[in-house]
Amino acid sequence: MADDPQAKLARHERRYQALQMRIAGVSNAVIAQRLGYSSPQLVSKDVTTALKRAAKQEAMAAEELLHLEINRLDRMMASVWPRVIKGEVNAVEAALKIVNKRASLLGLDLINRNGAADNDMASLLGNMLIQLQQRHNVPDPDTDVILQADVIHGEIEYDDGGGEA
């Protein structure tokens, strides 16, 4: 049988009052007496339930905020990346700040990579660009040109239509 909405609301209000009283230092026995609980154990159970629910909601809010911040950083990186590829120093510095902030938010700065092959900044930035392009379906013509380039004896030679030979 489904709970009556009024009864459910009353239960939530009583649980909230019990939690507030417990936070204020009131004993479970006194809370039970004042709020009409049948035992201090039921007060303890309600307070624990309220705390678990609050912790879950806070964790969900924190996760949502993290996703929001990561998406903002992704958009920032996508906006500066074409200038990074062109070698603009200010854009490279901005990209490094974005990478560092992203690593900090995700805890990547705490990981010991132990000499992994892709631990240089160029590889990390390149991988991030690919993820950004896939996530936001944003083609980058500058990247497409670079991906078509061949390095021969330390010089860049573009395929047909690349603008350089």
Side-chain angles (χ1 to χ4, degrees), residues 146-159:
I146 288 175
L147 292 176
Q148 296 170 1
D150 293 323
V151 178
I152 301 174
H153 302 293
E155 295 185 23
I156 296 178
E157 184 176 294
Y158 292 98
D159 290 341

Side-chain angles (χ1 to χ4, degrees), residues 83-153:
R83 295 181 312 157
V84 168
I85 291 173
K86 292 176 185 173
E88 294 180 24
V89 175
N90 290 340
V92 171
E93 289 172 355
L96 287 173
K97 288 178 183 178
I98 293 168
V99 167
N100 287 331
K101 185 61 177 178
R102 181 183 183 75
S104 174
L105 285 173
L106 295 174
L108 299 175
D109 55 342
L110 304 176
I111 296 173
N112 181 356
R113 297 184 62 85
N114 293 326
D118 65 346
N119 66 349
D120 61 52
M121 189 54 67
S123 295
L124 291 173
L125 290 173
N127 289 336
M128 187 180 295
L129 173 64
I130 291 168
Q131 290 173 2
L132 285 170
Q133 287 175 328
Q134 290 171 348
R135 183 180 296 162
H136 298 288
N137 292 324
V138 178
D140 184 351
D142 291 330
T143 304
D144 294 340
V145 169
I146 288 175
L147 292 176
Q148 296 170 1
D150 293 323
V151 178
I152 301 174
H153 302 293

Side-chain angles (χ1 to χ4, degrees), residues 3-165:
D3 278 343
D4 172 23
Q6 293 290 4
K8 189 174 182 178
L9 179 62
R11 189 171 57 248
H12 285 292
E13 286 177 3
R14 183 172 83 160
R15 185 177 290 151
Y16 176 77
Q17 288 175 332
L19 176 61
Q20 294 306 309
M21 291 173 75
R22 191 68 190 111
I23 289 171
V26 179
S27 72
N28 287 340
V30 172
I31 295 170
Q33 183 183 27
R34 289 192 182 160
L35 297 181
Y37 282 89
S38 60
S39 73
Q41 292 78 16
L42 287 177
V43 172
S44 179
K45 182 180 175 185
D46 260 6
V47 167
T48 300
T49 299
L51 288 172
K52 285 180 182 178
R53 185 170 288 147
K56 183 178 178 181
Q57 288 173 344
E58 188 168 324
M60 288 172 29
E63 186 71 21
E64 184 64 30
L65 181 59
L66 176 63
H67 287 293
L68 176 67
E69 291 301 323
I70 294 300
N71 284 334
R72 285 178 180 160
L73 292 172
D74 288 348
R75 289 191 306 270
M76 287 181 217
M77 183 63 84
S79 71
V80 299
W81 191 255
R83 295 181 312 157
V84 168
I85 291 173
K86 292 176 185 173
E88 294 180 24
V89 175
N90 290 340
V92 171
E93 289 172 355
L96 287 173
K97 288 178 183 178
I98 293 168
V99 167
N100 287 331
K101 185 61 177 178
R102 181 183 183 75
S104 174
L105 285 173
L106 295 174
L108 299 175
D109 55 342
L110 304 176
I111 296 173
N112 181 356
R113 297 184 62 85
N114 293 326
D118 65 346
N119 66 349
D120 61 52
M121 189 54 67
S123 295
L124 291 173
L125 290 173
N127 289 336
M128 187 180 295
L129 173 64
I130 291 168
Q131 290 173 2
L132 285 170
Q133 287 175 328
Q134 290 171 348
R135 183 180 296 162
H136 298 288
N137 292 324
V138 178
D140 184 351
D142 291 330
T143 304
D144 294 340
V145 169
I146 288 175
L147 292 176
Q148 296 170 1
D150 293 323
V151 178
I152 301 174
H153 302 293
E155 295 185 23
I156 296 178
E157 184 176 294
Y158 292 98
D159 290 341
D160 291 340
E164 292 187 23

